[in-house]
């Protein structure tokens, strides 16, 4: 399974605006094209595709965490391909569905989640744009703070701010045709005609479960490259006395922002703590609605054996978005939520998310509140 060059290469300015205006701020900045029959791709890495970053060939290789190569956790690209079949939600909510796992946030689920509000304390779950020039904020151009209108152009997107990926964010090659979740057509230079953020509803409100891995492991933060396995999620459930269930939003705190505050920025798009691909069947079984991280969700490097491109480098992204129809949030900010949760010894709370419904956009800025 290989990832081809981004299917957004060569988009017109209007198309980029439709897909990127204020909303497309995701880590990879690309839509992956996965073709199990294609030869190895020669596209640049996610970090290298950003302006000012050197080509992938000139970047030193970063070895994966040793535990990813142990027998208990070793995962091959062939196993990832099998997961594409086993975890698929295509057709589950009908052939025209464009909301994926957000369908699991039912009115009853929202009413249940509202009952979690006891103190009325709200915290932001987002990390917003910064004018800081740093190694972990690769941009397509300089980040500026400006007023704009029409052809003047929008602020340039970067990757140190929170984004919720729409279901057209990653693509697959099926029977020679590039498609997105549920078999819908992929984006054009006019943006996403299907599965765009504007087709996913105005927003949603559900129960959020904060998974605070540094707290569980008695450290201030997880070191970059640290993988999170299914047994870690189960240990967290036991520690927090909570069970992740259908329609929940799972927010994984790796301590990325605490580490950054203590030691400074680093290229986290290439070297980050995060979920190992082996967690995906576990999450599918729990039937969650949304997956979020304070980093890039996937452990980086992924540790997948064989293959190339996004299916090998970011299997959590590929499986979540393109296969399961589950939106992802990268670069969330969960430090305030972690503080409030620890005070109360309660890591479940009410969460609201408002989607910025830009026509044809591949993502939305993550406008989310946690309410205790």
């Amino acid at each position: 399974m290989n990832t081809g060059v981004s299917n957004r290469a060569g988009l017109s300015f209007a198309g980029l605006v439709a897909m990127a205006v204020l909303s497309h701020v995701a880590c990879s900045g690309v839509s992956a094209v996965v073709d199990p029959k294609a030869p190895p791709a020669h596209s640049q890495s996610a970090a290298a595709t950003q302006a000012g970053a050197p080509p992938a060939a000139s970047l030193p290789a970063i070895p994966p965490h040793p535990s990813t190569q142990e027998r208990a956790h070793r995962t091959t690209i062939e196993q990832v391909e099998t997961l594409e079949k086993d975890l698929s939600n295509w057709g589950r909510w009908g052939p025209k569905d464009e909301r994926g796992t957000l369908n699991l946030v039912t009115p009853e689920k929202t009413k249940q989640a509202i009952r979690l509000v006891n103190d009325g304390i709200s915290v932001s779950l987002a990390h917003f744009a910064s004018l800081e020039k740093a190694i972990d904020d690769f941009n397509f151009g300089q980040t500026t703070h400006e007023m704009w209108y029409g052809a003047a152009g929008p602020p340039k997107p970067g990757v140190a701010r929170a984004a919720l990926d729409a279901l057209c964010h990653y693509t697959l090659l099926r029977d020679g045709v590039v498609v997105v979740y549920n078999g819908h057509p992929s984006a054009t230079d006019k943006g996403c005609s299907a599965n765009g953020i504007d087709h996913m509803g105005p927003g949603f409100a559900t129960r959020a479960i904060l998974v605070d891995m540094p707290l569980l492991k008695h450290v201030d933060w997880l070191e970059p490259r640290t993988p999170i396995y299914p047994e870690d999620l189960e240990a967290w459930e036991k520690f927090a006395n909570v069970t992740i269930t259908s329609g929940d939003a799972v927010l994984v705190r790796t301590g990325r922002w605490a580490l950054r505050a203590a030691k400074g920025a680093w290229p986290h798009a290439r070297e980050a703590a995060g979920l190992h691909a082996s967690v995906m069947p576990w999450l599918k079984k729990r039937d969650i609605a949304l997956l979020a991280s304070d980093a890039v969700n996937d452990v980086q490097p992924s540790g997948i054996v064989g293959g190339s491109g996004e299916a090998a480098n970011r299997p959590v992204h590929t499986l979540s978005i393109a296969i399961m129809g589950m939106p992802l949030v990268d670069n969330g900010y969960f430090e305030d939520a972690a503080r409030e949760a620890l005070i109360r010894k309660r890591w479940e709370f009410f969460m609201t998310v408002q989607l910025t419904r830009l026509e044809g956009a591949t993502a939305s800025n993550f406008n989310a509140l946690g309410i205790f």
Side-chain angles (χ1 to χ4, degrees), residues 352-365:
T352 66
V353 179
Q354 179 263 321
L355 301 179
T356 303
R357 301 176 73 181
L358 293 169
E359 183 177 357
T362 66
S364 169
N365 44 311

Side-chain angles (χ1 to χ4, degrees), residues 2-358:
N2 302 292
T3 300
V5 178
S6 164
N7 72 329
R8 288 198 278 113
L11 288 183
S12 67
F13 176 77
L16 285 173
V17 170
M19 301 172 72
V21 174
L22 291 178
S23 65
H24 184 70
V25 288
C27 287
S28 68
V30 300
S31 296
V33 180
V34 181
D35 181 3
K37 298 181 180 179
H42 300 287
S43 57
Q44 295 180 344
S45 69
T49 58
Q50 313 302 326
S58 69
L59 295 171
I62 298 174
H65 192 276
S67 71
T68 65
Q69 305 308 300
E70 295 173 356
R71 182 175 181 179
H73 301 123
R74 187 177 185 272
T75 302
T76 67
I77 191 63
E78 289 77 18
Q79 289 173 300
V80 174
E81 292 172 358
T82 298
L83 290 177
E84 288 192 4
K85 300 175 183 177
D86 295 344
L87 305 184
S88 177
N89 278 327
W90 286 28
R92 178 177 176 182
W93 294 284
K96 296 182 179 180
D97 175 58
E98 300 181 53
R99 300 187 71 238
T101 55
L102 293 187
N103 286 294
L104 298 170
V105 184
T106 63
E108 184 59 34
K109 182 69 179 184
T110 298
K111 288 190 292 183
Q112 292 174 355
I114 290 173
R115 300 186 190 114
L116 295 172
V117 178
N118 293 324
D119 303 320
I121 301 299
S122 298
V123 296
S124 174
L125 301 171
H127 193 268
F128 195 59
S130 170
L131 299 183
E132 176 188 13
K133 295 181 180 179
I135 195 171
D136 63 344
D137 190 20
F138 298 113
N139 286 320
F140 295 101
Q142 181 179 0
T143 301
T144 60
H145 183 190
E146 61 189 52
M147 297 295 292
W148 64 276
Y149 180 79
K156 306 299 189 295
V159 302
R161 64 216 69 169
L164 186 152
D165 290 344
L167 300 185
C168 63
H169 192 72
Y170 268 58
T171 62
L172 299 167
L173 192 62
R174 290 290 183 262
D175 299 322
V177 179
V178 178
V179 296
V180 293
Y181 163 73
N182 217 20
H184 294 305
S186 65
T188 69
D189 61 355
K190 298 184 183 299
C192 298
S193 62
N195 292 4
I197 203 69
D198 53 322
H199 292 187
M200 295 174 64
F204 55 95
T206 191
R207 181 176 78 147
I209 303 294
L210 179 66
V211 179
D212 194 337
M213 280 289 113
L215 179 64
L216 178 68
K217 296 179 179 293
H218 307 289
V219 296
D220 292 328
W221 53 75
L222 300 185
E223 292 295 333
R225 300 190 303 143
T226 301
I228 298 169
Y229 297 114
E231 54 264 36
D232 294 314
L233 299 180
E234 292 176 353
W236 175 256
E237 286 188 319
K238 183 176 180 180
F239 172 88
N241 191 30
V242 67
T243 300
I244 295 169
T245 61
S246 178
D248 285 342
V250 174
L251 315 181
V252 180
R253 178 178 179 263
T254 68
R256 177 260 185 103
W257 298 112
L259 173 56
R260 191 182 192 276
K263 296 187 177 182
W266 78 98
H268 82 285
R270 300 186 68 231
E271 189 174 9
L275 298 176
H276 185 257
S278 60
V279 306
M280 297 310 295
W282 193 93
L283 292 175
K284 174 65 185 300
K285 185 177 180 180
R286 298 306 176 98
D287 225 12
I288 67 172
L290 178 76
L291 179 62
S293 170
D294 58 358
V296 296
N297 277 287
D298 289 85
V299 64
Q300 296 290 280
S302 71
I304 298 300
V305 179
S308 63
E310 295 294 271
N313 298 332
R314 296 218 173 146
V316 172
H317 272 73
T318 301
L319 293 169
S320 295
I321 297 172
I323 300 300
M324 295 168 60
M326 181 169 65
L328 289 190
V329 174
D330 293 327
N331 303 302
Y333 185 83
F334 308 144
E335 301 302 292
D336 295 341
R339 181 191 66 243
E340 296 297 332
L342 183 60
I343 290 171
R344 294 165 177 79
K345 299 294 190 294
R346 180 167 63 88
W347 288 270
E348 59 174 347
F349 50 88
F350 183 54
M351 183 184 77
T352 66
V353 179
Q354 179 263 321
L355 301 179
T356 303
R357 301 176 73 181
L358 293 169

